[in-house]
Amino acid sequence: MAPWSRLRLLPALGWTALILFVASRPKAFFVPPEEPVVYGLPRWLLQYVYHVSAFLVLAVLVRRAVEAPGGPDRRADLTALLGACAVSAGSEALQAWIPTRTPAARDLALDLAGALVGLALLRTVPRRGDPESG
């Protein structure tokens, strides 16, 4: 990998840092526990939206950072999926050490679902500049 191309990893690394920052905060750090509705969503639903969307974005950023020019790249898909799984496992392990937080297998599943949706979207939505996008 050429040194300049390593810069393509910066957005994915920054997003990973943000995910780990959120995972390292106590439960009430962002939203007070007495709030039943947050941003128009029931509090219990907000965590599902967070997990799916955060890992959807992460998988897309990793995929874009490691993809080869041209058509579909299965190695880039696998790298993005494994990267998202590693960050997910790391964030859940981190939560074992944070007061008021607990690791959850449900969160791992939501993170994986978000990553898979992100990768599926990349395959179905044409990118600007691609020959098939016009």
Side-chain angles (χ1 to χ4, degrees):
M1 183 183 286
W4 61 267
S5 66
R6 289 188 184 110
L7 294 175
R8 295 170 57 181
L9 291 171
L10 287 178
L13 293 174
W15 194 256
T16 297
L18 180 62
I19 288 171
L20 294 176
F21 172 77
V22 170
S24 70
R25 304 293 99 198
K27 229 177 205 179
F29 185 81
F30 295 104
V31 180
E34 64 275 0
E35 295 289 328
V37 176
V38 182
Y39 306 120
L41 293 172
R43 183 183 176 85
W44 63 268
L45 183 60
L46 187 63
Q47 66 181 335
Y48 292 93
V49 172
Y50 163 75
H51 280 279
V52 171
S53 61
F55 283 85
L56 182 152
V57 171
L58 179 62
V60 168
L61 290 174
V62 172
R63 171 72 166 78
R64 292 271 174 98
V66 300
E67 70 187 352
D73 184 355
R74 292 192 190 278
R75 280 191 300 195
D77 286 340
L78 183 60
T79 300
L81 191 59
L82 291 175
C85 287
V87 172
S88 177
S91 72
E92 292 304 312
L94 178 63
Q95 289 178 27
W97 299 96
I98 307 300
T100 74
R101 301 295 295 265
T102 55
R106 177 196 65 229
D107 293 346
L108 290 168
L110 289 168
D111 298 343
L112 177 61
L116 289 171
V117 168
L119 294 173
L121 286 174
L122 280 178
R123 290 196 173 264
T124 58
V125 176
R127 289 173 56 184
R128 188 172 33 190
D130 284 348
E132 62 270 2
S133 68

